[in-house]
Amino acid sequence: MDMSKQELNERVKPIMSPTKREWTNIDKTIACLLFFLHALCIFAPFNFTWNAFWVALILYSITGLFGITISYHRNLSHKSFQLPKWLEYLFAYCGAHALQGDPMDWVSTHRCHHQFVDTDKDPHDRNQGFWFSHINWAFDSYHLTKKVCGKYFNDSKETKRNLFTLVMKHERPDNVKDLEKQIFYTFIHKTYILHPIALAIFLYMVGGLPFVLWGMVK
């Protein structure tokens, strides 16, 4: 079936170059953190131990499989199945240590993606190009916030430069009200960064630098 001119215009958008837009402070912060985490990988081979390797493998399974795939994606975003609340919260807490954001943030973005897939409102619209749809969208907090939480968005220069632009998205979220009603998810949202830091400290106390390098940069 041929698309109408309006539908075609909605789907075909000019590719946004990351060098031709204004980077917010939070974009720069996220980029620096990702660069730092990847830079740590350089030191991992020089701090290899089998115990650290098994820690990485176990944490990858716990945070990636149970946390992101089962909890964030299938259970919370798509509601593919239900879990007992204690198990739902446990899996979601595992996901909070995968360094992909808190449950409310991740789920909101993913639901928005499926609701507006491949349109201008898609947070990682593939029409913006390969790199944008895979990674550059994560450094576009201004437009990401505007897409996911448009009706609450204050389009001002002050907001655009605010380090905490993304916080607006889930103080009054558009599409995660089911999570917002639960104290557990609002608590994780407001204290998110403390949990990976606590994990890193725990790993260091148990196994030193090798556990941190292999456990956190898994």
Side-chain angles (χ1 to χ4, degrees):
M1 181 182 296
D2 294 335
M3 289 189 297
S4 67
K5 185 176 181 180
Q6 181 179 357
E7 290 174 329
L8 184 62
N9 289 335
E10 287 180 353
R11 287 183 173 271
V12 180
K13 301 293 188 302
I15 295 177
M16 182 190 306
S17 171
T19 60
K20 293 183 179 180
R21 64 170 175 80
E22 181 178 352
W23 284 55
T24 65
N25 289 331
I26 198 169
D27 296 335
K28 297 173 184 177
T29 301
I30 292 174
C32 289
L33 287 175
L34 285 181
F35 176 81
F36 175 72
L37 288 173
H38 284 80
L40 288 179
C41 294
I42 299 174
F43 301 98
F46 304 103
N47 289 271
F48 175 83
T49 67
W50 281 109
N51 285 339
F53 172 81
W54 289 115
V55 165
L57 190 63
I58 292 171
L59 284 178
Y60 176 81
S61 300
I62 292 175
T63 62
L65 175 60
F66 293 100
I68 299 299
T69 301
I70 294 179
S71 176
Y72 279 24
H73 189 201
R74 302 311 310 173
N75 181 225
L76 299 180
S77 295
H78 294 293
K79 299 183 179 180
S80 302
F81 53 85
Q82 289 186 329
L83 294 170
K85 274 300 175 184
W86 69 269
L87 190 58
E88 174 189 321
Y89 291 160
L90 176 61
F91 284 175
Y93 190 69
C94 291
H97 293 89
L99 300 178
Q100 294 189 27
D102 68 273
M104 291 174 66
D105 185 18
W106 201 102
V107 171
S108 177
T109 301
H110 195 69
R111 286 179 180 175
C112 187
H113 161 65
H114 280 283
Q115 183 179 1
F116 303 107
V117 64
D118 293 342
T119 69
D120 191 44
K121 291 185 178 181
D122 185 347
H124 27 85
D125 176 16
R126 69 183 179 91
N127 294 308
Q128 292 291 334
F130 174 84
W131 289 111
F132 179 86
S133 63
H134 282 76
I135 186 63
N136 286 346
W137 68 271
F139 311 132
D140 193 14
S141 61
Y142 178 73
H143 290 98
L144 176 61
T145 305
K146 194 170 184 178
K147 290 175 181 179
V148 176
C149 198
K151 69 180 181 181
Y152 295 123
F153 190 80
N154 179 18
D155 194 356
S156 67
K157 290 184 178 180
E158 181 179 357
T159 298
K160 191 171 182 178
R161 295 188 176 91
N162 192 335
L163 175 62
F164 300 103
T165 300
L166 285 182
V167 173
M168 295 175 56
K169 181 169 56 176
H170 296 309
E171 289 299 326
R172 295 177 296 177
D174 279 333
N175 58 359
V176 286
K177 292 189 181 298
D178 55 325
L179 303 184
E180 188 185 31
K181 294 176 182 177
Q182 302 179 57
I183 296 176
F184 173 81
Y185 293 115
T186 57
F187 171 75
I188 296 298
H189 173 69
K190 293 178 179 179
T191 62
Y192 167 68
I193 194 62
L194 300 178
H195 303 280
I197 291 176
L199 175 61
I201 293 173
F202 173 76
L203 290 174
Y204 184 80
M205 293 175 63
V206 173
L209 186 59
F211 273 32
V212 175
L213 290 175
W214 285 83
M216 297 301 295
V217 193
K218 46 194 175 294

